[in-house]
Amino acid sequence: MKSDIILSGVGGQGILSIAATIGLAAVDNNLYLKQAEVHGMSQRGGDVQSHLRLSDKPVASDLIPFGSADLILSVEPMESLRYLPWLSKTGWLVTNSNPFINIPDYPDVDEILNEIKAIKNHIILDADLIAKESGSARSGNIVILGAASAFIDMPFSSLEVAIRKLFGRKGQDIVDANLKALNAGRKLSDAYRK
């Protein structure tokens, strides 16, 4: 088993919470895990990315080679395009449709979404709307994780357990909202792939 995952977005969108959730689930499944992160100017809306490698065998490097990522999981559409050179020919790109416009010359959103639609294996969803409907507007990152979970080789229930652990100290309402967001994302992903 091997899953090479690139997480992308900008500061404040919850990339590191996604990485922590997957990491906790991986440990519970006795998987090997290596991770590298770049935070850049994240507190000023700069890009944040993480290479996350999971395997049932020891992982030699924390960096994913070009053309071999199984999954790009992105909470921002333009950031998903930035990492396309890493995506394998059979890999999946799962992204939020809503841009985080943090620069004056942000490209046309329709052009970005058309570029993503040209990729064979992609899922584009309005994670922000789904998160609001799930009870927490701040859970868009977890909606994306739920949608991408079908491409992460571990039981979905492991991600639910990890969310309970990660968000438990913030209270049951936060845990419930994130579990609802995770399940809503997965449900949409399942429907999208049929």
Side-chain angles (χ1 to χ4, degrees):
M1 171 272 169
K2 169 192 86 68
S3 285
D4 284 342
I5 306 165
I6 290 182
L7 311 176
S8 67
V10 299
Q13 289 193 300
I15 292 295
L16 301 182
S17 293
I18 294 173
T21 303
I22 296 172
L24 285 170
V27 169
D28 279 352
N29 282 281
N30 297 315
L31 296 174
Y32 292 92
L33 165 73
K34 286 218 176 189
Q35 181 184 5
E37 298 172 352
V38 173
H39 299 211
M41 297 287 283
S42 60
Q43 292 184 346
R44 295 187 179 187
D47 70 301
V48 176
Q49 60 95 352
S50 177
H51 286 215
L52 192 57
R53 308 188 79 186
L54 312 173
S55 177
D56 57 0
K57 298 181 175 78
V59 180
S61 171
D62 52 359
L63 296 178
I64 299 169
F66 282 135
S68 64
D70 302 298
L71 173 65
I72 294 175
L73 183 163
S74 181
V75 291
E76 207 286 326
M78 187 174 74
E79 290 300 323
S80 68
L81 292 181
R82 186 190 302 265
Y83 298 100
L84 280 184
W86 278 268
L87 189 64
S88 79
K89 289 185 168 120
T90 57
W92 280 82
L93 188 156
V94 179
T95 187
N96 190 359
S97 62
N98 296 303
F100 185 95
I101 298 176
N102 55 355
I103 54 175
D105 56 348
Y106 192 97
D108 181 80
V109 176
D110 289 335
E111 287 182 23
I112 292 172
L113 295 177
N114 285 335
E115 288 282 327
I116 294 169
K117 289 174 185 170
I119 298 163
K120 179 183 170 193
N121 298 325
H122 70 272
I123 295 176
I124 303 169
L125 54 124
D126 186 341
D128 299 338
L129 177 63
I130 298 164
K132 283 181 193 165
E133 292 172 352
S134 298
S136 173
R138 299 185 65 188
S139 297
N141 61 331
I142 301 300
V143 170
I144 295 293
L145 174 59
S149 64
F151 312 109
I152 302 172
D153 193 11
M154 69 173 80
F156 182 75
S157 59
S158 298
L159 295 172
E160 294 176 309
V161 170
I163 281 177
R164 289 187 185 96
K165 286 181 185 174
L166 187 64
F167 295 103
R169 63 183 168 83
K170 294 184 176 182
Q172 192 59 44
D173 289 347
I174 300 295
V175 170
D176 291 344
N178 279 299
L179 288 172
K180 197 171 175 183
L182 183 76
N183 280 281
R186 179 59 182 259
K187 187 176 174 182
L188 270 169
S189 174
D190 288 345
Y192 195 96
R193 291 178 291 117
K194 286 184 181 175

